[in-house]
Coordinates of all heavy atoms in Angstrom, one line a residue:
A517 N 22.7 16.1 1.5 CA 24.1 16.3 2.0 C 24.3 15.6 3.3 O 25.4 15.6 3.8 CB 24.2 17.8 2.3
T518 N 23.3 14.9 3.8 CA 23.5 14.1 5.0 C 23.8 12.6 4.7 O 23.1 12.0 3.9 CB 22.2 14.1 5.9 OG1 21.9 15.5 6.2 CG2 22.3 13.3 7.1
T519 N 24.8 12.1 5.4 CA 25.2 10.7 5.1 C 24.6 9.8 6.3 O 24.4 10.3 7.4 CB 26.7 10.5 5.1 OG1 27.2 10.8 6.4 CG2 27.3 11.4 4.1
L520 N 24.5 8.5 6.0 CA 24.0 7.6 7.1 C 25.1 7.5 8.2 O 24.7 7.2 9.3 CB 23.7 6.2 6.5 CG 22.4 6.1 5.7 CD1 22.2 4.7 5.1 CD2 21.2 6.6 6.5
R521 N 26.3 7.7 7.8 CA 27.4 7.7 8.9 C 27.1 8.8 9.9 O 27.3 8.6 11.1 CB 28.7 7.8 8.2 CG 29.9 7.7 9.2 CD 31.2 7.7 8.5 NE 31.3 6.6 7.5 CZ 31.7 5.4 7.9 NH1 31.9 5.1 9.1 NH2 31.7 4.4 6.9
Q522 N 26.7 10.0 9.4 CA 26.4 11.1 10.2 C 25.1 10.8 11.1 O 25.1 11.2 12.3 CB 26.2 12.4 9.4 CG 27.5 12.9 8.8 CD 27.2 13.9 7.7 OE1 26.1 14.0 7.1 NE2 28.2 14.8 7.4
V523 N 24.1 10.2 10.5 CA 22.9 9.8 11.2 C 23.3 8.8 12.3 O 22.8 9.0 13.5 CB 21.9 9.2 10.3 CG1 20.7 8.7 11.1 CG2 21.4 10.2 9.2
A524 N 24.1 7.8 12.0 CA 24.5 6.8 13.0 C 25.2 7.5 14.2 O 25.0 7.2 15.4 CB 25.3 5.8 12.4
A525 N 26.1 8.4 13.9 CA 26.9 9.1 14.9 C 26.0 9.9 15.8 O 26.1 10.0 17.0 CB 28.0 10.0 14.2
A526 N 25.0 10.6 15.2 CA 24.0 11.4 15.9 C 23.2 10.6 16.9 O 22.8 11.0 18.0 CB 23.1 12.2 15.0
A527 N 23.0 9.3 16.5 CA 22.2 8.4 17.4 C 23.1 7.6 18.3 O 22.6 6.7 19.1 CB 21.3 7.5 16.5
G528 N 24.4 7.8 18.2 CA 25.3 7.0 19.1 C 25.5 5.6 18.6 O 25.7 4.7 19.4
L529 N 25.4 5.3 17.3 CA 25.5 4.0 16.8 C 26.6 3.9 15.7 O 27.1 4.9 15.2 CB 24.1 3.6 16.1 CG 22.9 3.6 17.0 CD1 21.7 3.4 16.1 CD2 23.0 2.5 18.0
K530 N 27.0 2.6 15.4 CA 27.8 2.4 14.3 C 26.9 2.2 13.0 O 25.7 1.9 13.2 CB 28.6 1.1 14.5 CG 29.7 1.2 15.6 CD 30.5 0.0 15.7 CE 31.5 0.2 16.8 NZ 32.3 -1.1 17.0
V531 N 27.5 2.5 11.9 CA 26.6 2.5 10.7 C 26.0 1.1 10.5 O 24.8 1.0 10.1 CB 27.5 2.8 9.4 CG1 26.6 2.7 8.1 CG2 28.0 4.2 9.5
G532 N 26.7 0.0 10.8 CA 26.1 -1.3 10.6 C 24.9 -1.5 11.5 O 23.9 -2.2 11.0
S533 N 24.9 -1.0 12.7 CA 23.8 -1.1 13.6 C 22.6 -0.4 13.1 O 21.5 -0.7 13.5 CB 24.2 -0.7 15.0 OG 25.3 -1.4 15.5
L534 N 22.8 0.7 12.3 CA 21.7 1.5 11.8 C 20.8 0.6 11.0 O 19.5 0.8 11.0 CB 22.3 2.6 11.0 CG 21.4 3.8 10.7 CD1 21.0 4.5 12.0 CD2 22.1 4.8 9.8
Y535 N 21.3 -0.4 10.3 CA 20.5 -1.2 9.4 C 19.6 -2.2 10.1 O 18.8 -2.9 9.5 CB 21.4 -1.8 8.3 CG 21.9 -0.9 7.3 CD1 23.2 -0.4 7.4 CD2 21.1 -0.4 6.3 CE1 23.6 0.5 6.4 CE2 21.5 0.5 5.3 CZ 22.8 0.9 5.4 OH 23.3 1.9 4.5
N536 N 19.8 -2.2 11.5 CA 18.8 -3.0 12.2 C 17.5 -2.3 12.4 O 16.5 -2.9 12.8 CB 19.4 -3.3 13.6 CG 20.6 -4.2 13.6 OD1 20.7 -5.1 12.7 ND2 21.5 -4.0 14.5
H537 N 17.5 -1.0 12.0 CA 16.3 -0.2 12.3 C 15.7 0.4 11.0 O 14.6 0.8 11.0 CB 16.6 0.9 13.3 CG 17.1 0.4 14.6 ND1 16.3 0.0 15.6 CD2 18.4 0.2 15.1 CE1 17.0 -0.4 16.6 NE2 18.2 -0.3 16.3
I538 N 16.6 0.5 10.0 CA 16.1 1.1 8.7 C 16.6 0.3 7.5 O 17.6 -0.5 7.7 CB 16.6 2.6 8.5 CG1 18.2 2.6 8.4 CG2 16.1 3.5 9.6 CD1 18.7 3.9 7.9
D539 N 15.9 0.4 6.4 CA 16.3 -0.4 5.2 C 17.3 0.5 4.4 O 18.1 -0.1 3.7 CB 15.1 -0.7 4.4 CG 14.2 -1.7 5.1 OD1 14.7 -2.5 5.9 OD2 13.0 -1.7 4.9
S540 N 17.1 1.8 4.4 CA 17.9 2.7 3.5 C 17.7 4.1 4.0 O 16.8 4.4 4.9 CB 17.4 2.6 2.1 OG 16.1 3.0 1.9
K541 N 18.4 5.0 3.4 CA 18.2 6.4 3.7 C 16.9 6.9 3.3 O 16.2 7.7 4.0 CB 19.3 7.2 3.0 CG 19.4 8.7 3.4 CD 20.6 9.4 2.7 CE 20.5 10.9 2.6 NZ 21.5 11.5 1.8
E542 N 16.4 6.4 2.1 CA 15.1 6.8 1.7 C 14.0 6.3 2.6 O 13.0 7.0 2.9 CB 14.8 6.3 0.3 CG 15.7 6.9 -0.8 CD 17.0 6.3 -0.9 OE1 17.4 5.3 -0.2 OE2 17.8 6.7 -1.8
H543 N 14.2 5.1 3.2 CA 13.2 4.5 4.1 C 13.2 5.4 5.4 O 12.1 5.6 6.0 CB 13.6 3.1 4.4 CG 12.8 2.4 5.4 ND1 13.2 1.9 6.7 CD2 11.4 2.2 5.4 CE1 12.2 1.4 7.3 NE2 11.1 1.6 6.6
L544 N 14.4 5.9 5.8 CA 14.4 6.7 7.0 C 13.7 8.0 6.8 O 12.9 8.5 7.6 CB 15.9 7.0 7.4 CG 16.1 7.9 8.5 CD1 15.5 7.4 9.8 CD2 17.6 8.0 8.8
L545 N 13.8 8.6 5.6 CA 13.1 9.8 5.3 C 11.6 9.6 5.3 O 10.8 10.4 5.8 CB 13.5 10.3 3.9 CG 12.9 11.6 3.4 CD1 13.1 12.8 4.4 CD2 13.4 12.0 2.0
L546 N 11.2 8.4 4.7 CA 9.8 8.1 4.7 C 9.3 7.9 6.2 O 8.1 8.3 6.5 CB 9.5 6.8 3.9 CG 8.1 6.2 3.9 CD1 7.1 7.3 3.4 CD2 8.0 4.9 3.2

Side-chain angles (χ1 to χ4, degrees):
T518 300
T519 67
L520 285 181
R521 186 174 300 278
Q522 291 167 336
V523 172
L529 299 171
K530 294 181 178 179
V531 176
S533 301
L534 200 62
Y535 287 101
N536 293 327
H537 302 276
I538 66 169
D539 296 331
S540 64
K541 187 177 162 185
E542 290 84 0
H543 178 240
L544 179 55
L545 181 60
L546 175 59

